[in-house]
Amino acid sequence: MTMSPCRSRCFVDYEDLHQLLLAVQEKCCENHSQQIVSISLQIDFIDPLVVLDKFAQANTLNFYFENRSKGEAIAAIDAVTKLEITGKHRFSKTEDFIKDCLTNVINFGNTNQSFAGMHFFSCFSFFDQHHQADYPFPAATIFLPKLQVAVKNSSCTLVVNNLIHGNINIQTILRELQNKVKTLQSLADYSPNIEISPSNFNKTKINSSHTFKHSVSSALEKIASNHLRKIVLADALDVRAYNSLNLFKSLNNLRQLHPNCYVFSTSNGKGQNFIGASPERLISIQEQQLITDALAGSAPRGKTPNEDAANAKNLVNSNKEKHEHSLVIDFITQRLSQLGLFPQILAPRLRQLSNIQHLWTPITAVVPVNIHPFKILSQLHPTPAVAGAPRDIACAEIRRYENFERGLYAAPLGWVDGNGNCEFIVGIRSALIDGDHARLYAGAGIVAGSDPDKEFAEVQLKLQALLKALV
């Protein structure tokens, strides 16, 4: 029996793995079928962003997700199997896709460590149909990666998923695994050379300040006439750099500048990436414990500690901001209750980011085994934090006011594993990157008492924070 050491941490029993793969292949031949073998190994610590930089190809799907405050990061490269769909049944179809894959999997290695075993990576667009025919992402994408590297605090897990069928060469699979492990371990001490020189770029506004403020004023009239209680209006900014935007550099900047946010990137396998630093978790489920964030109502950070404290105090005491916040809490608790869950509202607090602060109320619930995370996502998306209230009316009005495709902006993206654990965020403070072009998105919640000038300033503040990281 050959135990192959890979530097210090990783031991692969290639002989056992070889026997397993042969047995699986034999069964596939007999049944004329295919099976997925998921191999989980503990490896030396390596930065998943470095893995993304080294392994991601423009023509394959990939995904990156990091939460510095939780000590977690994960990179997923290329797809063993995937589903891309559009239309209103996209959440239930992605759920079916996962269930189908899970009937067909065999695990090998240490599945008890963090992020071991099969993880599916998924992104959705804000609307289930695009109005803009050439928008580069489908309304829903879910994939099982070929390669996944994740860190939780100081431990690092490699997952390699292989599709086994009668004609596959088992020796090639083993050789490729050895090569991957070797390459990964060689990256353990690698820190890429990132020049901090600012790129030269041109900016093009999608809307004039007058257009955005006019939309806010018009929305306020509809709120005054009780047609709406809230609407979230987004703005976009187009940027063209003089050379291609560097994905690795942009993500590294985002994680340095926004250590309290979720930093993310997802690709479409055609060269475009959607990236950002979102403060907003949609749902996280660990061992059937769900937590979600009601995040709405905001104020800028102050330039001095006194100014910062004054801004925070005004935010906490503002009836307008508290009203906007309570709409989100009510919506989330109502939707979770409709699924038969019993949401618990935790104490409200402030979510303070580098340039902005929000009213924040975490909400928890226990999730029964028979309720899949995608059922919850389909109920919650979009919340009033990114759409408005009533939701359907707000969404119809968003289509009228916004002259660009939201696409993945303000929609769920994240991962789910085979046991129903998951982490999904809302893709706000985000940008669509295509070579030397980027389209940046940000929005503001409009409620009774909103001021068009202030709302415009809030959106510009969010766009500037993103621009700083990209260029």
Side-chain angles (χ1 to χ4, degrees):
M1 186 177 290
T2 53
M3 293 288 275
S4 165
C6 359
R7 278 173 69 182
S8 54
R9 286 230 175 120
C10 161
F11 281 93
V12 188
D13 195 326
Y14 283 107
E15 191 54 45
D16 270 10
L17 179 57
H18 188 196
Q19 294 305 325
L20 173 77
L21 292 171
L22 285 173
V24 171
Q25 186 178 37
E26 199 175 314
K27 200 172 162 193
C28 289
C29 285
E30 284 169 18
N31 303 335
H32 306 292
S33 63
Q34 299 184 337
Q35 279 230 280
I36 296 163
V37 173
S38 184
I39 303 161
S40 300
L41 308 170
Q42 192 169 12
I43 58 172
D44 278 331
F45 187 87
I46 176 172
D47 180 352
L49 189 52
V50 170
V51 177
L52 184 78
D53 188 45
K54 281 287 168 201
F55 282 88
Q57 305 286 322
N59 62 345
T60 58
L61 294 178
N62 58 63
F63 200 100
Y64 182 77
F65 206 65
E66 176 171 352
N67 182 341
R68 279 212 153 171
S69 55
K70 284 171 75 177
E72 291 179 359
I74 187 163
I77 313 285
D78 206 353
V80 169
T81 177
K82 67 175 181 176
L83 177 70
E84 294 176 343
I85 41 171
T86 189
K88 61 177 187 289
H89 300 298
R90 57 194 179 145
F91 288 103
S92 59
K93 283 180 178 170
T94 45
E95 181 184 335
D96 293 343
F97 171 80
I98 289 178
K99 287 177 174 168
D100 193 43
C101 288
L102 290 173
T103 59
N104 207 21
V105 67
I106 291 171
N107 287 300
F108 177 87
N110 181 359
T111 51
N112 295 326
Q113 64 211 45
S114 297
F115 290 114
M118 284 166 83
H119 285 63
F120 297 84
F121 296 84
S122 177
C123 62
F124 297 86
S125 58
F126 187 86
F127 294 105
D128 57 30
Q129 304 271 359
H130 301 321
H131 276 186
Q132 180 193 325
D134 60 349
Y135 182 78
F137 279 82
T141 304
I142 184 160
F143 75 102
L144 177 70
K146 287 185 179 172
L147 174 81
Q148 175 193 311
V149 173
V151 297
K152 172 74 179 168
N153 299 325
S154 58
S155 84
C156 188
T157 305
L158 164 68
V159 179
V160 178
N161 297 304
N162 288 290
L163 191 62
I164 307 297
H165 51 78
N167 300 329
I168 205 154
N169 185 325
I170 299 297
Q171 293 299 343
T172 306
I173 290 180
L174 292 169
R175 209 166 33 247
E176 282 175 0
L177 177 64
Q178 281 171 309
N179 290 340
K180 272 175 188 157
V181 169
K182 210 169 173 179
T183 308
L184 286 167
Q185 299 292 23
S186 74
L187 297 174
D189 308 317
Y190 174 77
S191 52
N193 182 22
I194 306 175
E195 352 68 65
I196 301 300
S197 58
S199 319
N200 293 321
F201 62 93
N202 296 319
K203 289 194 294 190
T204 313
K205 289 187 168 162
I206 303 295
N207 293 305
S208 67
S209 59
H210 171 76
T211 307
F212 186 80
K213 290 176 192 177
H214 179 72
S215 295
V216 174
S217 300
S218 165
L220 284 168
E221 286 171 17
K222 290 185 175 169
I223 290 167
S225 69
N226 291 328
H227 178 62
L228 276 169
R229 294 198 302 284
K230 173 182 177 177
I231 185 170
V232 177
L233 294 178
D235 200 4
L237 175 69
D238 279 352
V239 172
R240 183 166 192 168
Y242 291 150
N243 38 30
S244 273
L245 292 158
N246 180 324
L247 182 68
F248 180 90
K249 185 175 154 186
S250 298
L251 289 169
N252 195 51
N253 287 345
L254 282 170
R255 67 180 180 177
Q256 306 294 343
L257 292 165
H258 305 285
N260 306 344
C261 289
Y262 290 88
V263 171
F264 62 87
S265 168
T266 185
S267 79
N268 61 358
K270 297 177 186 135
Q272 286 95 2
N273 289 273
F274 182 72
I275 80 168
S278 173
E280 189 173 348
R281 166 179 49 191
L282 186 56
I283 59 167
S284 170
I285 301 174
Q286 282 298 323
E287 294 176 356
Q288 293 172 255
Q289 295 292 326
L290 174 141
I291 186 158
T292 175
D293 293 335
L295 195 77
S298 43
R301 298 299 303 266
K303 291 184 175 62
T304 64
N306 284 349
E307 190 192 341
D308 201 38
N311 287 357
K313 190 178 174 189
N314 291 340
L315 173 60
V316 169
N317 294 323
S318 158
N319 287 333
K320 174 216 164 242
E321 302 296 342
K322 285 195 289 194
H323 168 61
E324 188 184 339
H325 189 68
S326 67
L327 288 172
V328 181
I329 295 176
D330 294 349
F331 172 86
I332 291 174
T333 51
Q334 205 178 332
R335 289 284 164 152
L336 293 177
S337 301
Q338 281 168 3
L339 282 169
L341 275 56
F342 298 96
Q344 307 294 312
I345 301 169
L346 304 187
R349 53 205 77 179
L350 278 178
R351 186 103 160 79
Q352 293 187 307
L353 308 171
S354 55
N355 64 327
I356 198 164
Q357 45 196 333
H358 300 283
L359 295 176
W360 170 35
T361 303
I363 297 166
T364 63
V366 175
V367 181
V369 185
N370 63 333
I371 295 185
H372 194 271
F374 282 148
K375 278 206 178 52
I376 301 171
L377 286 180
S378 71
Q379 282 295 311
L380 291 184
H381 173 72
T383 72
V386 289
R391 178 164 78 173
D392 293 350
I393 295 171
C395 285
E397 293 293 344
I398 285 167
R399 283 281 207 203
R400 271 180 13 88
Y401 284 120
E402 292 177 6
N403 58 350
F404 54 88
E405 186 70 65
R406 278 198 174 194
L408 301 190
Y409 167 70
L413 79 167
W415 59 264
V416 57
D417 72 9
N419 300 316
N421 300 309
C422 71
E423 183 108 57
F424 277 85
I425 59 159
V426 184
I428 53 175
R429 321 285 155 84
S430 47
L432 178 63
I433 293 180
D434 185 0
D436 59 355
H437 282 75
R439 172 164 285 187
L440 286 58
Y441 304 87
I446 315 304
V447 292
S450 288
D451 174 284
D453 291 329
K454 283 184 181 163
E455 300 302 339
F456 178 72
E458 182 185 311
V459 170
Q460 299 317 303
L461 181 72
K462 291 169 181 174
L463 288 171
Q464 282 310 312
L466 195 56
L467 188 60
K468 194 172 157 189
L470 291 185
V471 295

